[in-house]
Amino acid sequence: MSVTTDRIPEKTPDAPGEPTSATRRRGWAGDVLITVLSIVLALVVGAVLIAVADPRVQETASYFFARPLDMLQAAGSSVANAYAALFKGAIFDYGAETTTAAIRPITESLVFASPLVVAGLAVGLAFRAGLFNIGAEGQIILGAIGAAYVGFAWELPLVVHMVLALVAAMLLGGLWAGIAGFLKARTGAHEVITTIMLNYIARFLLAFLLSTTAFQRPGRNDPISPQVDSTAMLPQMLGSWSRLHLGLLVAIAAGFGVWWLLNRSTLGFKLRAVGANPFASRTAGIDVGWSTFAAMAIAGSLAGLAGAFQIIGTERSLTGGVSAGIGFDAITVALLGRGNPFGIVLAGFLFGALKAGGVTMQARTGTPIDLVFVVQSLIVLFIAAPPLVRAIFRIRAQGAGSMQVSKGWNA
Amino acid sequence: MSTATRERLPESSTIQQGPLRKPPTWKSPIIMGVLGVVALLAFGLASNAGDTSTFGMSTGAQRLQIPALVLPTRPAAIVLSVLCLVLAAVAAAAVRVKRPVPLAVPIGFAALWLLAFLVWSMAGEQVPLPGLLGGTLLLSVPLVFGALSGVLCERSGVINIAIEGQLLAGAFASALMASVTDSLWIGLVMAPVAGLLVAVLLAMFTIKYVVDQIIVGVVLNVLVVGLTGFLYGRVLVQNADVFNQPGTFSRIPIPGLIEIPVLGPALFNQTIIVYLMYVAVIVTQVALFRTKWGLRVRAVGEHPKAADTVGIKVNRIRVQNVLLGGVVAGFGGAFFTLGSVGAFGREMTAGQGFIALAAMIFGRWSPVGALFAALLFGFANQLQGTLGALGSPIPSEFMLMAPYLATIFAVAGVVGRVRAPAADGQPYTKA
Amino acid sequence: MKLELRGITKRFGSFTANDSIDLVVEPGEIHSLLGENGAGKSTLMNVLYGLLQPDEGQVVIDGERVHFDGPGDAVAAGIGMVHQHFMLVPVFTVAENVMLGYEYTKGGQFLDHAAARQQVRRLSERFGFDVDPDALVEDIPVGVQQRVEIIKALARDAKVLILDEPTAVLTPQETDELIAIMRELKQSGTSIVFITHKLREVRAVADRITVIRRGKVVGTADPGTSEAELASMMVGRTVQLTVDKQPFAPKGEVLQVEDLSVRDDLGRTVVDGVSLDVRGGEIVAIAGVQGNGQTELVEAIVGLGEDISGSIRLQGKQILGLNAKEIIDLGVGYVPEDRSHDGLIESFTVAENLVLSQHDRAPFGSGLLYHPAKVKARANELVGEFDVRTQGVEATAGSLSGGNQQKVVVAREMSRPLKLFVASQPTRGVDVGSIEFLHNRIVAERDHGSAVLLVSTELDEVLALADRIAVMYRGRVVGVVDGDTPRDVLGLMMAGVPEQDARRQAAEQGPTALTVQDEEARQ
């Protein structure tokens, strides 16, 4: 008998078993701790950036050694102003004159969060099936194309129109991601490469469509489509003072749906099995190619929903910038949510709030919204490398190790 | 739908004699043949008999002026299409004797096919050839630097999705530093430093903290977009004459070489950054395939454990290569600002880093292959611009899609088979 | 060069892989390190080779204490190692592999291929290897790759050569050749550490034997020690490799394979016109050296192969062309040879693994619905029935030991009514206690009336279980013989000698180096 695995140490019968439910619970608490600390760290780095880039801080820094307090004060007030504006724009505007104006920010956060949640689910679901879906951006574009076309070209009664627009978005998004799934299943083409390429193809396809008579708004020379009919719009849930639309509930329902799919359905079992070990799955009679395709197609239809939210939730017409980078934000959302559907919903809320707050921060303090990208990416980098966060805060190792999802190009 | 192909452990490989490499498939000769016939019918036989396509052959910078080349459209397109078919036949011959199709064949085919397309679509028009080629070269410069960064990283086994971020960081740093110091040269030196900083993060997270390489790459791109965008909005825009007016390098014509007909002005009347690119491609190619260092790098990317057992420090080599890649990509970033636009703009790399990734894959992880793939992509892009000006029959968006489609075909095995280094993307940890 | 290991201890977490091991290798001796899988042999050698740092203890060469930070230091000190999984870069040539890390250069940094070629030629001539320095490693057979590994070590002036399970991939004849090479190396003054778990080979070539068990040295022996003694030192108790089983009472034909050929994805024929049948209530074992088509034959039968021609019938029904799922549903159970790769999902729970192929069948699934509670209830039953030692059915399969993982796979496959049970290397990497349990279950399955097809590269296992034995060599069945066929006849057949010739040769030649001990063991 020869040893078949390279693993060292070789396991013996009396080697200690792995996580008991108690250690697993501790691991979960560790995850939460790491997440919170990562957010704090990212905000600290963001604060440093705000301070360094502030003109008054630069000015006072020039005589730092004469009057150090001046600079510290300038730095403190620039950071405090920016983050206060961020909070006011994201959660609650305590300086506002009316109640609705005060609570509108949190509804704005939820508006930004809705497409992030479904697109994050699109990336997260693919993660669980062992696939790295970098293509949410392209799938969102296709979804937006579908929703917009159904929305402005067809005339249908109230609810039917909206539902069909959503369905069209899911179909086109699913189809677009399905191409990558099909190629992976059939030829082994790595989904990271194909989905990146499909993102750009989608972008040019959209640009082309917006130059055709079928899509371009009559009387306009710039690439913009007609407005979708009001029958196709997702209803606003709070009245005219807020843009909050039904998409939020759809997104939360999608979170439950993905959880159910993964944990309570036979298809989800297959997807998880193929994601964890395609070889053993194949031996157990699971059709690996089909599961790969199905995972990508479902993921794509979720991302397509995000495209629909953009059109029939907020924007009303299709433009070249319809995807608004949501597809890339979705990757960070899925990573922050650690591939868990409920985690992704929460992560989507957080990043939605950062976005809404970032808009206000830019408008009121002149701090560019790009800061939000910095904070967002740092959060994900930190949670992806728990040992780094532990080292910074000097806490003892427990819980998860570093994040590993994808395999090499040849896998 | 077929199921995933099975990986085998080395020990279960069969004890049988015979060549173990997969014979090449007929797919690529067939596709080339079909496309060649399409070219012959559509561009050659279907064009108007009397039309001419005119290529300008010289620029003002040359002492020796060559008259414009006036080609009768139909015969010229036919000749080019037939040449395409000849290359298809070469590919078929290679497959027949079960040899892999050389990389030059599909790349040459694509170039000839695009030329045939160009000749057909410029019937009755004039296009300056040196300008076309020079434009192609300029569009491919950042792609080449980016792809070289990818080659350096991935040959050692680290996937580099952060090329885009490295380019953008290089573009930002070079513009800012050149403006502040009022020296293009200092700007040119700071670009690789910025690329290096991104690479430091990439190396730290992927190698030290063993985080998934694709995740780190994707997230670093977002980080660099955010950082440069933030500083651009807060600093560069506020005071553009101090912080964002670097100017551009002027062209340095190389005496003698510039007189080479057609190619001279395209290749040898360029800025220092382009000349640096030539050097970078040659040095990387030679170093990877002819030196001790290159042998070790490739071993680390193919079979890190084997390299470790002969005393090669796997992760040290990987760190070195990732950092080196960042430096190279940084120069590519400088091209955006100091080599062409003359100022930094938000997200100005606009996805070029991903086309660079595509060029690396299409060029089969070799520096020279990546160069030609980048030139091909640049050519498609330049053609799109040229034809747009002429009023082309094909929407420009489809021309812009070409590199991405070509890459999908390449990874799906339609045009030859691309094989990444075996350990690419897999972290190496001892025991 | 005299090599000593003193009190080497290596721990992984709370698990001690090596527990104060002492080992002395005298100059020019072949020292065999004997132990079961998982006993800690490879860990010890990785410590010696600088791949792992010991927690305690020291390495001493010629009386001087040395410290290895990495393999580079070990190589510089004159230690060479041929790993069980060859450490060769497949896309490099032989010459490039030989010089890697020890490059011949000219003009500073440029590779000198000519010098490397010359070195390969010189060494292969000296030891009579037939190795082409310009061949790509991926193009040459495993046996030759092993020689490249030996050349690689010799090119670095190895004074001590460690061979880690070198015969696992070799035919008996190639093994004899390797033994000759080892003797020649010894003549030229190289010491050899020969790591194996194969008792016969140890006795044929070793000057001294050190036996380790569960990370500890349990004793040293000389080659005259009987096989039974060595075996009991190795496993810690008297092993009984023969399984108590009733004479077999075959019922009707269950599996009929006719003229089956399989080509791999490179287009080579790996199974070549195989015909074979297995009846209900009988165990047919396929014997052969690893890599002679057994894997592909079995995968074809269970619906996992791709390019297949011929016929496979299950109780008269043609199953060639059906997919794995359909064949599972017809009542075929399958234990794949590479458990962690193909048998289990290590990140899934024990319960999920127990229903991997049945998760969408009643009562665990109905349509799109999956019922975790029922899966868990069933898992609790099976864990008890198959004596799976686990913290619970919700523990991940990866947390189990090899033997218990294998019990999970076997439990899953035997937990439903079977017509045919196919087991590939069912006890590879499994502790002795579990081996006995698994063997008994396999025999029970036979007695229950199932047809059993067993693939094993271990002759001991084949001889213990089989009612009939089919020997495979280079994709063909050399012959089908009775379960009590002598070991030396089987050995010759495994090298491709037809049954009649094998019996004649075995009778004429008398005992060979390897089989002589077999006779002793019987006495």
Side-chain angles (χ1 to χ4, degrees), chain C residues 99-114:
Chain C
M99 70 170 153
L100 181 64
Y102 198 74
E103 292 83 355
Y104 302 92
T105 52
K106 52 187 179 190
Q109 290 292 307
F110 291 94
L111 294 174
D112 186 350
H113 280 94

Side-chain angles (χ1 to χ4, degrees), chain B residues 326-360:
Chain B
V327 167
V328 171
F331 281 113
F335 177 80
F336 286 96
T337 48
L338 310 184
S340 64
V341 176
F344 180 79
R346 183 178 258 129
E347 290 183 54
M348 76 184 306
T349 47
Q352 298 281 296
F354 290 104
I355 312 191
L357 183 77
M360 174 200 73

Side-chain angles (χ1 to χ4, degrees), chain B residues 137-154:
Chain B
L137 181 68
L138 289 184
L139 286 170
S140 59
V141 171
L143 305 184
V144 174
F145 279 114
L148 284 180
S149 168
V151 169
L152 284 167
C153 293
E154 301 207 1

